Amino acid sequence: MVSNPAALIAAVAASVAVYAHGIVGQRWLTAQLRAVEMRPTPLSTRLFGEGDVSWRVFGVTWHVVTTVFAASALALYLTAFGALESRDLLRFIALVHAAFLGVGFVYIDKRPAAMLQPIPLVFVTVITAAAAFSWMSSGSV
């Protein structure tokens, strides 16, 4: 039984972020990276080693963000069903999602028309819902 409906809404939003970022986004990123030739620079070779450095850095970073979405979704589901109660954790999750939203707005800054496209619109909707409902759910714990 759902003991925290706001946490459930935030969990669903975070789950959509996991799917959109981890599956749809990963396929898009992979296609984009394969379409260009990325050669390591002397600095990247010195710091990371030879070969497909850019590919690996982008891939690891992409999966780290997806993992944050998945971990927050799990914590939110546990909260929604009463297995976890931590006001501070819920507020931290809300702040992390708000920070992701802020980073997204920095990149969209010079292209406000991009907000009418499907991917930015889904991003803003899902991340805003996750942040807002995570914060709201913290008041019920």
Side-chain angles (χ1 to χ4, degrees), residues 49-112:
E50 297 289 334
D52 54 352
V53 172
S54 298
W55 176 270
R56 292 181 187 275
V57 170
F58 280 127
V60 167
T61 304
W62 198 269
H63 289 301
V64 166
V65 172
T66 303
T67 302
V68 170
F69 291 147
S72 64
L74 176 62
L76 290 162
Y77 279 118
L78 290 171
T79 300
F81 292 102
L84 178 65
E85 292 185 5
S86 174
R87 188 181 109 196
D88 293 336
L89 177 61
L90 293 169
R91 289 190 175 177
F92 177 75
I93 290 169
L95 292 173
V96 167
H97 283 81
F100 284 147
L101 188 61
V103 169
F105 281 134
V106 166
Y107 278 91
I108 290 177
D109 177 40
K110 299 199 179 10
R111 295 181 44 214

Side-chain angles (χ1 to χ4, degrees), residues 25-38:
Q26 172 65 24
R27 289 182 180 183
W28 173 82
L29 176 70
T30 302
Q32 296 297 312
L33 291 178
R34 286 192 179 132
V36 296
E37 180 183 353
M38 294 187 297

